[in-house]
Amino acid sequence: MKRIETERLLLRSLKIEDAERVEELASDYDIAKTTLNIPHPYPEGSAAPFIKSMLEAEKENKMATFAIIEKSSSSLIGTMSIGNNTEHKRGELAYWIGKPYWGKGYGTEAAKAVIRYGFDEFGLQKVFAAAFTDNPGSWRIMEKIGMKHEGTLRNHVIKWGKSVDLHYYGILKEELK
């Protein structure tokens, strides 16, 4: 079982038992509007299949997904994953943090640890991430952990029937502080 500790967080493997809390947090409209793949309304019972799919991808060594646990409350506050593209030695960082926990630096703290995990455990040479251009909370996390803005892809995805631009950020292993 994966486990990373930071000053205020425990990052551990997701478990099926986390499904109810994932649904509770991911059901917030403000979470859904900032992510590509979280629907709104969040369908009841859909967190367990999501968690199962993440665990299956881990078995195939394609990614690592973490439950982000606030140590002081022992509460799951979000999730974070890092992909493992072994051919190109790169991985995509993806995350969401429950709205009650925004603005507390938890995303930045978790992202630093998960990027290091990707470099150390997967042997990645690069980690990249994307965020909607109208989601500064997400791309500011990327900047705070040392990722560099690599470009903006215009009308790159469709979210709720509307074309959306994405900021892409990346960090190389040798740039990690």
Side-chain angles (χ1 to χ4, degrees):
M1 176 181 263
K2 302 175 313 300
R3 182 181 172 96
I4 302 171
E5 285 198 48
T6 67
E7 182 181 340
R8 301 176 298 158
L9 302 172
L10 168 64
L11 308 173
R12 61 152 171 83
S13 296
L14 266 175
K15 302 184 271 190
I16 295 299
E17 297 81 25
D18 295 324
E20 186 176 323
R21 178 67 171 163
V22 167
E23 283 185 23
E24 177 186 340
L25 292 172
S27 291
D28 189 306
Y29 171 81
D30 288 328
I31 298 292
K33 79 176 185 180
T34 63
T35 62
L36 183 59
N37 296 314
I38 294 179
H40 187 79
Y42 196 89
E44 188 175 332
S46 61
F50 159 74
I51 292 169
K52 287 178 186 173
S53 72
M54 295 296 101
L55 295 174
E56 203 53 45
E58 285 186 0
K59 283 182 191 172
E60 297 171 15
N61 203 37
K62 292 182 180 177
M63 70 177 357
T65 303
F66 296 89
I68 304 170
I69 309 298
E70 181 185 48
K71 284 182 181 177
S72 64
S73 67
S74 299
S75 294
L76 184 146
I77 64 168
T79 69
M80 188 169 288
S81 64
I82 189 161
N84 182 19
N85 182 316
T86 55
E87 180 181 358
H88 299 289
K89 294 190 177 203
R90 69 172 182 239
E92 182 173 10
L93 181 71
Y95 50 85
W96 62 268
I97 304 291
K99 190 174 177 185
Y101 306 96
W102 288 3
K104 299 179 188 302
Y106 290 138
T108 302
E109 189 173 327
K112 283 180 187 177
V114 172
I115 283 176
R116 182 164 303 283
Y117 179 93
F119 288 138
D120 293 347
E121 299 299 320
F122 288 156
L124 302 177
Q125 294 300 307
K126 177 180 183 172
V127 174
F128 68 96
F132 296 155
T133 56
D134 66 352
N135 183 7
S138 187
W139 48 264
R140 285 291 298 135
I141 288 171
M142 297 171 202
E143 291 173 349
K144 288 176 187 174
I145 62 173
M147 295 180 112
K148 292 179 174 43
H149 185 254
E150 295 188 339
T152 301
L153 301 181
R154 298 175 301 143
N155 290 342
H156 194 63
V157 295
I158 304 294
K159 176 69 178 187
W160 297 338
K162 181 181 172 194
S163 293
V164 179
D165 299 344
L166 290 179
H167 284 316
Y168 271 84
Y169 284 77
I171 190 168
L172 305 178
K173 184 175 184 175
E174 61 267 17
E175 296 170 335
L176 190 66
K177 297 175 184 171

